[in-house]
Amino acid sequence: MTVRFNDHLSSIPGYTPGVPKGHTAEDVASSDLAQLASNESPFAPLPEVVEAISKAAGAMNRYPDPSATLLRQRLADRHELEPGQVAVANGSCDFLLAAAEALLEPGAEIVYAWPSFSIYPNMAAMTGAREIRVPLKEDQSHDLEAMLDEITAATQIVIVCNPNNPTGTYLPFSEIASFVERVPDHVLVIIDEAYIEFQVHDDPSLSIGLVKEHPNVVLLRTFSKTHSLAGLRVGYALGSPAFKAAVDAVRQPFSVNALAQAAAVEALEHGDVMQRQIENQIRERVRVESAVADLGLNTTDSQANFSWISLGENGAEIEDAVVGVLAEAGIVVRAGRLLGGPGWLRVSYGTVDENDRFVAALGDAISIHG
Ligand SMILES: *Cc1c(COP(=O)(O)O)cnc(C)c1O
């Protein structure tokens, strides 16, 4: 007899790391490989943040504050909410799995767009709930009307990823607000705002108002994409105290480690630097998208820190070859096939130099295979 794991494990999708096979994150960091596959910040953490981590490290023999009191207070102040409306997690992915555990079971339904974030399919798979994937519109943005049509008495969660990963598309706040108005109160609306700071249409604080008006709305945000802390794992959720209590109930008490709490608190002190980094990435977006257009390729209108590039008519056939040429040039990107979009590429913005290398290598790849 061997150990028999739960049957539903076989339906949980695995995660394909952005680091190429045979490499560790450490050897990639010390090589000149351009890591443009995971939408991380290309900027090293600030020296003050590293200093805060070192200081916290001296007290590592103690458990962290299970309530992350200081971090939650700072986030509450920043977003003009009560600390009870702020939950923190070991990366915002942690909330998605916790929300699944707290809200889904066989017979329940979850609605989300597709292609969208790769972790959403885990939520139904791990709980036995039914998932309804609503195809994106022609322009690769969410079809909110079609999503509303899929909501039933059994729906427990609807997720809107805005801007959407992997397509970069953004729905204006006004559309999100009217969607939220029309979703029945029994449905938890998760608005995944991992990239909200990179869009240029709305003030990112507008959606906080939805949390104040609708107890069934939760915003997910993260320190992974704008605060250079992807490796430490810190995310936060803004929502009702009931949501916080539910996700706290299904997780271990120490979800955010002491170093991560200290780093996030310090990072929040440097909003001006973060803002300059975000503006840099937005400038790189304009530059990369126009260079890609010069190669004769189309992109969506990205409002994130990555581009979603169509490889054209025979894109699905050349996708692997193009990714291969880029890899030989030391540039790691994501093949769309792995993200639900065959024939597309997702490339994160790196440093100016990395982006130049990417565009040049993409040009080579297209001239060979396009
Ligand atoms: C990166 C990302 C996250 C969160 O990542 P964490 O590192 O777990 O905070 C959440 N949602 C989307 C859509 C993302 O792309």
Side-chain angles (χ1 to χ4, degrees):
M1 284 276 278
T2 53
V3 176
R4 191 169 166 277
F5 295 98
N6 290 344
D7 288 338
H8 68 257
L9 253 63
S10 59
S11 53
I12 299 178
Y15 180 76
T16 311
V19 174
K21 281 203 180 67
H23 290 267
T24 65
E26 287 73 24
D27 63 42
V28 168
S30 63
S31 72
D32 62 355
L33 209 61
Q35 280 183 273
L36 308 181
S38 298
N39 303 340
E40 297 142 328
S41 169
F43 304 106
L46 299 179
E48 294 89 341
V49 172
V50 175
E51 174 74 35
I53 294 167
S54 316
K55 255 178 86 181
M60 262 194 306
N61 53 315
R62 302 294 174 193
Y63 283 109
D65 173 6
S67 310
T69 315
L70 182 59
L71 176 57
R72 287 181 37 252
Q73 181 65 55
R74 294 282 165 82
L75 288 166
D77 292 347
R78 181 189 175 92
H79 297 300
E80 297 176 15
L81 292 169
E82 295 302 320
Q85 294 171 292
V86 181
V88 291
N90 186 38
S92 58
C93 288
D94 197 22
F95 285 125
L96 294 165
L97 304 183
E101 180 135 8
L103 284 127
L104 300 179
E105 60 192 347
E109 296 178 359
I110 171 171
V111 177
Y112 57 86
W114 198 253
S116 195
F117 189 36
S118 57
I119 302 291
Y120 304 155
N122 292 43
M123 298 169 71
M126 66 189 262
T127 55
R130 190 165 92 90
E131 64 175 2
I132 296 100
R133 298 187 185 186
V134 178
L136 298 176
K137 294 196 288 197
E138 184 79 28
D139 68 356
Q140 305 277 300
S141 71
H142 280 61
D143 188 342
L144 294 181
E145 286 300 322
M147 292 177 76
L148 280 169
D149 286 345
E150 294 294 347
I151 290 174
T152 69
T155 308
Q156 287 280 77
I157 299 176
V158 60
I159 310 179
V160 177
C161 186
N162 197 40
N164 188 42
N165 180 6
T167 66
T169 49
Y170 177 72
L171 298 175
F173 172 72
S174 56
E175 287 181 36
I176 298 287
S178 64
F179 173 77
V180 165
E181 286 297 337
R182 294 167 65 197
V183 174
D185 293 342
H186 73 272
V187 180
L188 180 76
V189 184
I190 298 180
I191 308 178
D192 187 340
E193 297 191 325
Y195 303 97
I196 193 74
E197 293 92 347
F198 295 104
Q199 57 77 32
V200 295
H201 292 282
D202 295 309
D203 180 337
S205 66
L206 272 178
S207 50
I208 312 289
L210 296 175
V211 171
K212 295 180 183 160
E213 289 159 31
H214 302 274
N216 62 327
V217 170
V218 173
L219 310 181
L220 298 187
R221 296 193 176 188
T222 175
F223 286 81
S224 297
K225 312 294 161 59
T226 49
H227 289 77
S228 304
L229 294 178
L232 262 192
R233 320 296 304 120
V234 202
Y236 60 102
L238 306 173
S240 67
F243 175 80
K244 177 180 182 299
V247 293
D248 283 350
V250 298
R251 296 179 303 158
Q252 60 145 323
F254 303 110
S255 315
V256 182
N257 72 69
L259 308 192
Q261 290 186 33
V265 165
E266 183 61 33
L268 286 174
E269 296 293 310
H270 305 276
D272 49 339
V273 185
M274 298 305 160
Q275 199 49 45
R276 284 203 297 279
Q277 293 182 347
I278 290 163
E279 281 158 16
N280 170 292
Q281 297 285 279
I282 293 171
R283 280 197 302 277
E284 286 306 287
R285 177 166 76 208
V286 173
R287 224 167 57 78
V288 169
E289 301 228 310
S290 90
V292 168
D294 289 345
L295 296 175
L297 299 176
N298 294 321
T299 61
T300 54
D301 175 16
S302 172
Q303 291 295 310
N305 63 347
F306 55 84
S307 282
W308 184 237
I309 301 171
S310 169
L311 294 175
E313 298 268 284
N314 61 341
E317 286 113 72
I318 64 168
E319 178 178 316
D320 285 340
V322 169
V323 171
V325 172
L326 292 169
E328 273 167 39
I331 298 157
V332 196
V333 303
R334 289 273 180 181
R337 182 172 51 77
L338 303 173
L339 303 171
W344 296 75
L345 284 187
R346 193 193 69 191
V347 57
S348 321
Y349 309 129
T351 61
V352 171
D353 175 56
E354 288 172 332
N355 298 336
D356 286 344
R357 282 170 53 200
F358 164 69
V359 170
L362 182 62
D364 292 344
I366 292 301
S367 65
I368 303 167
H369 298 287

